[in-house]
């Protein structure tokens, strides 16, 4: 079973206030207009600290409307009573919440790597990238592992396959990205002007995909040998045809 703890009073207050901007979650919202005497569901927000616990939370399903879970600086709040429609928020540096997505986690939560990719993307992305829905790293063949730094100042996450490892660690000083690749030719310059951390991660996954494609392509020597064999086979076929024609004459 997952382990969770109530959010702070300040977080509770700020999330409740943000919910008043959502027609499905606000007091007297859509679900209560047809039956004003229906008892309102309370706002209940808890904090989760491991990706495994977050996976168990989403997999359990059948959560009541206004039930929410906070993971680092992102929050997920159920918009459909007993459903799977999570209003997704990102906290800015000034403490304000910004809504940017509505996600069904039923399928995603079945794969811990896929869930980690989604949450890591949200944690790595800036508020602006989230609002543009540009927060998700490419899937490729990478496996995502780690806790996606559930605390604001501690944790790590990594995307890896048999050739690459893209590792992001966070502590009180900020986030640090390190890459293990077959050679420097497939490593992105992290100091490129204008690139966010998420931009670099996406570009690095693109380099991993390029390496895989180039490794699967036949080498120049192999291509030359194949061309020579094809040419020799063609010549043999032509000579055989000429010999058959001569014997007929």
């Amino acid at each position: 079973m997952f382990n969770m703890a109530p959010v702070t009073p300040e977080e509770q207050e700020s999330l409740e206030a943000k919910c008043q901007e959502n027609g499905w979650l606000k007091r007297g919202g859509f679900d209560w207009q047809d039956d004003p005497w229906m008892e309102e569901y309370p706002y209940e927000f808890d904090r989760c600290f491991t990706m495994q616990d977050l996976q168990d939370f989403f997999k359990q399903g059948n959560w009541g409307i206004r039930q929410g879970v906070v993971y680092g600086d992102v929050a997920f709040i159920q918009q459909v009573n007993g459903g799977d429609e999570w209003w997704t928020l990102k906290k800015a540096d000034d403490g304000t919440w910004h809504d940017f997505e509505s996600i069904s986690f039923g399928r995603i939560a079945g794969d811990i790597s896929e869930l980690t990719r989604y949450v890591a993307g949200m944690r790595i992305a800036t508020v602006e990238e989230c609002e543009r829905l540009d927060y998700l790293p490419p899937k490729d063949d990478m496996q995502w592992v780690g806790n996606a730094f559930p605390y604001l100042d501690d944790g790590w996450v990594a995307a890896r396959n048999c050739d690459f490892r893209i590792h992001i660690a966070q502590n009180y000083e900020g986030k640090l990205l390190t890459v293990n690749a077959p050679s420097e030719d497939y490593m992105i310059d992290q100091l490129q002007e204008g690139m966010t951390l998420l931009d670099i991660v996406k570009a690095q996954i693109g380099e991993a995909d390029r390496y895989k494609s180039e490794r699967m392509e036949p080498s120049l020597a192999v291509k030359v040998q194949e061309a020579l064999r094809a040419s020799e086979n063609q010549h043999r076929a032509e000579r055989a045809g000429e010999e058959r024609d001569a014997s007929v004459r």
Side-chain angles (χ1 to χ4, degrees), residues 204-230:
Q204 191 61 70
I205 293 175
E207 287 300 290
D209 186 61
R210 180 170 73 92
Y211 175 77
K212 180 177 64 177
S213 299
E214 292 178 352
R215 188 180 58 177
M216 294 176 63
E217 290 181 357
S219 66
L220 178 60
V222 171
K223 290 180 179 179
V224 170
Q225 291 177 354
E226 290 177 347
L228 289 174
R229 282 197 295 269

Side-chain angles (χ1 to χ4, degrees), residues 153-164:
D153 60 355
D154 186 27
W156 65 276
V157 70
R160 66 191 184 191
N161 60 20
C162 58
D163 301 303
F164 284 78

Side-chain angles (χ1 to χ4, degrees), residues 124-151:
I124 295 167
T126 64
V127 170
E128 292 74 22
E129 287 171 325
C130 286
E131 290 180 331
R132 295 198 307 266
L133 300 182
D134 192 27
Y135 61 86
L136 192 60
K139 187 172 184 178
D140 201 63
D141 66 344
M142 294 285 186
Q143 290 295 308
W144 287 80
V145 295
N147 61 15
F149 19 88
Y151 302 94

Side-chain angles (χ1 to χ4, degrees), residues 17-230:
K18 185 64 179 178
C19 285
Q20 305 317 304
E21 302 175 14
N22 184 311
W24 298 102
L25 297 173
K26 69 180 184 179
R27 298 181 181 90
F30 301 144
D31 279 354
W32 289 270
Q33 291 175 0
D34 293 336
D35 185 3
W37 302 106
M38 183 177 72
E39 180 182 356
E40 288 198 12
Y41 284 76
Y43 295 98
E44 295 184 0
F45 309 118
D46 293 293
R47 183 171 287 280
C48 194
F49 300 100
T50 72
M51 193 58 62
Q52 185 64 60
D53 287 334
L54 187 63
Q55 180 188 38
D56 291 343
F57 175 86
F58 285 130
K59 287 176 66 175
Q60 175 171 301
N62 198 34
W63 289 105
I65 193 170
R66 296 178 174 171
Q67 178 76 50
V69 59
V70 178
Y71 197 83
D73 60 355
V74 292
F76 308 96
I77 305 173
Q78 182 56 242
Q79 300 180 102
V80 179
N81 195 34
D84 180 32
E85 197 66 34
W86 298 92
W87 195 41
T88 306
L89 316 172
K90 171 93 169 178
K91 181 186 282 189
D93 292 338
D94 62 2
T96 58
W97 292 99
H98 296 255
D99 60 290
F100 65 94
E101 182 70 288
S102 183
I103 302 180
S104 297
F105 275 108
R107 174 190 59 82
I108 297 171
D111 182 343
I112 189 66
S113 173
E114 187 71 348
L115 179 62
T116 304
R117 180 171 74 101
Y118 269 79
V119 175
M122 295 173 187
R123 299 299 319 277
I124 295 167
T126 64
V127 170
E128 292 74 22
E129 287 171 325
C130 286
E131 290 180 331
R132 295 198 307 266
L133 300 182
D134 192 27
Y135 61 86
L136 192 60
K139 187 172 184 178
D140 201 63
D141 66 344
M142 294 285 186
Q143 290 295 308
W144 287 80
V145 295
N147 61 15
F149 19 88
Y151 302 94
L152 293 178
D153 60 355
D154 186 27
W156 65 276
V157 70
R160 66 191 184 191
N161 60 20
C162 58
D163 301 303
F164 284 78
R165 178 179 175 86
I166 304 168
H167 185 276
I168 304 168
Q170 176 170 300
N171 58 31
Y172 68 93
E173 294 182 340
K175 296 182 180 70
L176 174 65
L177 184 148
T178 57
V179 177
N180 292 332
S183 74
E184 293 185 0
D185 294 336
Y186 298 94
M187 296 179 67
I188 294 296
D189 178 7
Q190 299 183 24
L191 300 179
Q192 294 182 64
E193 184 177 356
M195 291 189 74
T196 66
L197 178 59
L198 183 60
D199 288 335
I200 296 171
V201 170
K202 289 180 176 181
Q204 191 61 70
I205 293 175
E207 287 300 290
D209 186 61
R210 180 170 73 92
Y211 175 77
K212 180 177 64 177
S213 299
E214 292 178 352
R215 188 180 58 177
M216 294 176 63
E217 290 181 357
S219 66
L220 178 60
V222 171
K223 290 180 179 179
V224 170
Q225 291 177 354
E226 290 177 347
L228 289 174
R229 282 197 295 269

